[in-house]
Amino acid sequence: MIDLFEPRMPEDKLHESFRLIRQDPAYAPVMPVIQGWAAGLLERRREGDKFVKELQSTFNSAMWELYLNRALMELGFEVDFSKSAPDFCVTTPGGYRFNIEAVISDRSPSAPTIAGLSEQDFKIQSALKLIGKLNDKVRLYRGDGGKKYPYGVLEHVREAPFVVAIAPFDSDLSLTQNNELINLVLFGLGAPSHEADTFGHQERVARIQKKPGTEIDVGIFTNDSFKEISAVIFSTTGTFGKAVIESGIDRLVRSSRYRVIDKDLAQAGDPSWSLGEQYLAQGKLDFLKRYRWEDESLIYGMDVRICSSRVHRETHLDGLHIYYNPYAEHPLDPGTFWSAEITHNSYDVAADEPQQDHPDGALVSRQVHAPNSLALAHLLHSNGFIR
C-alpha cells in the first residue's frame, strides 16, 4: 500500500496538520490508524499519488474521504474503485447500489478570522458555505457549466441514488456547530431551544442574508430544488480527532451525547434520569454534566462529559447523520445505513415537518484537547463545573 505519510513535496508545501502528525512523536500511534482507513482507496487507477498529495497539502478533504472509506468498511459495504467518479460507487451486502460524492466546506485564506465575526455571523457564513458546496455538486450532476460527462449521465449513476457526504472545516469553530447548521440548510430549522419549558423546539427559517439586499433560501430538502441529491451524509466528528481517539493516545476529550427514554422505562429513583441539571465528578479526570427535561411521554436531554481519552469510548460511526431528501428523483432506501450509532433525519411532506430519529446516546459533538492542566481548567470553566 502507498505510504500516506512519506512526504511527496517540499516541507514548506506541507499542510500544518500533516507536519504536526509527522513531527510530534506523541502522534506516532495515529499514523497507522489513518493508514488503515485507506484500505482500497489508494488502489484507484492513477488516483493514489494524487490523493496522497492532496492529504499532504490540503489535508481536510482527504481526511474526510478516509473517514468515509473506513465507515463504509465498518458497515460491510463494498466500493468499486474501478469507477473514477463519484468518489464511492457502493454496493451493500444485499446488492443495493448507490453512489457517494464527498465534499467539505473548507476555509479560504482570505476569509475573516473568527475573532472578527460574531457568533451569528459565523453561523450564517458557515451555512452559506454548506449551501454553496451542495449546489456545486448538483451542478456537477446536471452538467451545468459545460462538464463533458456530468455525473447524471454516467451509467452507474443515472438510475441509482446520489448521496453527497459533506463536513464543515471552514473555521476553528466548525466542529463545535453540531448539526445545527445542516438542519438549517436542509430543513430550514433554527437553533434548538435550551430552555426547560421549550427544550428542543426549533423555529422555522425560510432564508438567510448573504449580503445586504440578497437572501438565500434554506430548507432545500423541503422542496424539489435539489431533487438530484438523494440524501446527505454529515458529521462533525469524522475528522482527525476520530483518528486520535481510535489511536488511544493520551488526550482530554469533551463530548456531548443526546439522551432520551420513555418515562415508563425510567426506573424510579434512577439518578441518571433525574430532571434538571447535575454536575458530577466521576473520577480524577472524569466530569459529567447532565441536563434532563420531560414532556408527556419522554425524558430527554444531554450528557456533556469531560474526561481522559483512557475512559472515553467512541465507535467509528458515532456522530454520523443521514438526511433523506423526500423529493429525490432516486430516493435512498432508509434501511441502508442502519446502525445503532447513526442518526436518521427525514422530512414529512404531508405534515410539513422534520422527523429526526436521534437514538439514545447519539454522539452530538466531540473535541480533543492537550492533556494539561490549562486545557482542563478551560474546559471545566467553560462548561460550568467551575463558577
Side-chain angles (χ1 to χ4, degrees):
M1 180 184 289
I2 298 172
D3 185 353
L4 291 172
F5 295 96
E6 180 183 346
R8 303 293 185 92
M9 57 193 68
E11 187 76 13
D12 63 343
K13 301 294 184 182
L14 298 175
H15 191 276
E16 58 182 348
S17 296
F18 182 80
R19 289 202 305 267
L20 175 64
I21 297 170
R22 293 189 66 252
Q23 294 172 358
D24 189 340
Y27 285 114
V30 181
M31 289 190 282
V33 171
I34 296 174
Q35 188 73 45
W37 291 1
L41 186 62
L42 301 178
E43 276 66 64
R44 177 175 281 152
R45 186 163 55 97
R46 297 191 299 273
E47 290 291 316
D49 288 339
K50 177 184 174 184
F51 184 88
V52 173
K53 290 177 180 177
E54 182 180 351
L55 173 70
Q56 296 182 5
S57 60
T58 61
F59 195 73
N60 290 327
S61 60
M63 279 298 302
W64 178 230
E65 285 193 48
L66 288 164
Y67 167 77
L68 291 168
N69 189 58
R70 179 63 193 177
L72 296 173
M73 286 191 281
E74 295 254 340
L75 289 162
F77 299 164
E78 291 187 3
V79 179
D80 182 356
F81 288 114
S82 70
K83 306 290 193 298
S84 60
D87 294 309
F88 300 95
C89 179
V90 184
T91 303
T92 71
Y96 183 70
R97 185 172 56 81
F98 62 100
N99 296 278
I100 300 174
E101 176 74 358
V103 66
I104 66 168
S105 59
D106 213 347
R107 68 185 72 195
S108 166
S110 60
T113 63
I114 289 302
L117 293 175
S118 68
E119 181 180 2
Q120 184 62 20
D121 286 342
F122 155 70
K123 290 180 178 181
I124 297 259
Q125 181 188 86
S126 295
L128 289 170
K129 284 179 177 289
L130 290 171
I131 294 174
K133 292 299 181 180
L134 292 171
N135 189 55
D136 288 346
K137 294 308 176 183
V138 165
R139 288 170 56 83
L140 191 60
Y141 186 98
R142 295 171 180 163
D144 295 349
K147 181 176 174 61
K148 187 175 181 180
Y149 297 109
Y151 285 174
V153 304
L154 299 177
E155 183 177 356
H156 63 285
V157 176
R158 61 179 177 233
E159 297 299 328
F162 177 67
V163 179
V164 177
I166 189 167
F169 290 88
D170 49 275
S171 80
D172 293 336
L173 293 180
S174 295
L175 303 185
T176 68
Q177 70 177 245
N178 307 330
N179 63 331
E180 176 184 332
L181 299 184
I182 198 68
N183 283 338
L184 173 65
V185 168
L186 299 181
F187 294 157
L189 293 176
S193 168
H194 289 94
E195 299 299 323
D197 57 344
T198 58
F199 182 82
H201 176 72
Q202 294 171 276
E203 297 289 342
R204 301 297 289 271
V205 180
R207 55 191 61 86
I208 56 177
Q209 183 173 281
K210 184 175 183 180
K211 58 184 179 180
T214 303
E215 293 185 321
I216 299 294
D217 291 339
V218 293
I220 62 176
F221 276 9
T222 65
N223 54 63
D224 66 356
S225 58
F226 280 70
K227 63 183 182 295
E228 293 83 359
I229 297 180
S230 306
V232 162
I233 296 173
F234 180 82
S235 177
T236 62
T237 66
T239 62
F240 176 61
K242 181 76 75 172
V244 169
I245 293 297
E246 292 182 11
S247 74
I249 66 174
D250 186 23
R251 285 293 180 270
L252 287 172
V253 183
R254 191 270 188 196
S255 63
S256 61
R257 291 183 181 272
Y258 178 77
R259 300 303 311 274
V260 63
I261 192 173
D262 190 296
K263 283 184 178 179
D264 294 338
L265 299 179
Q267 296 184 0
D270 183 350
S272 63
W273 295 105
S274 297
L275 301 182
E277 292 185 5
Q278 300 179 63
Y279 291 82
L280 307 171
Q282 304 184 123
K284 183 178 179 181
L285 286 178
D286 193 356
F287 303 87
L288 178 66
K289 177 169 61 174
R290 293 183 182 135
Y291 300 84
R292 296 290 186 271
W293 289 269
E294 65 178 339
D295 64 11
E296 294 181 359
S297 61
L298 300 173
I299 299 174
Y300 49 93
M302 190 75 68
D303 284 351
V304 177
R305 192 180 188 189
I306 298 166
C307 65
S308 165
S309 55
R310 295 187 180 94
V311 296
H312 176 79
R313 296 292 178 267
E314 178 178 331
T315 72
H316 193 80
L317 297 176
D318 265 329
L320 197 64
H321 287 257
I322 312 295
Y323 287 82
Y324 301 92
N325 185 356
Y327 292 91
E329 290 179 326
H330 305 291
L332 179 71
D333 183 343
T336 305
F337 284 86
W338 206 256
S339 180
E341 305 98 312
I342 297 176
T343 295
H344 297 263
N345 307 270
S346 57
Y347 197 85
D348 186 328
V349 175
D352 190 26
E353 63 183 16
Q355 302 291 328
Q356 297 179 286
D357 180 13
H358 298 261
D360 179 44
L363 184 67
V364 176
S365 66
R366 182 260 301 123
Q367 300 88 39
V368 294
H369 301 264
N372 58 49
S373 58
L374 186 64
L376 178 61
H378 169 73
L379 288 169
L380 294 178
H381 184 272
S382 59
N383 287 276
F385 288 92
I386 299 175
R387 304 280 182 179

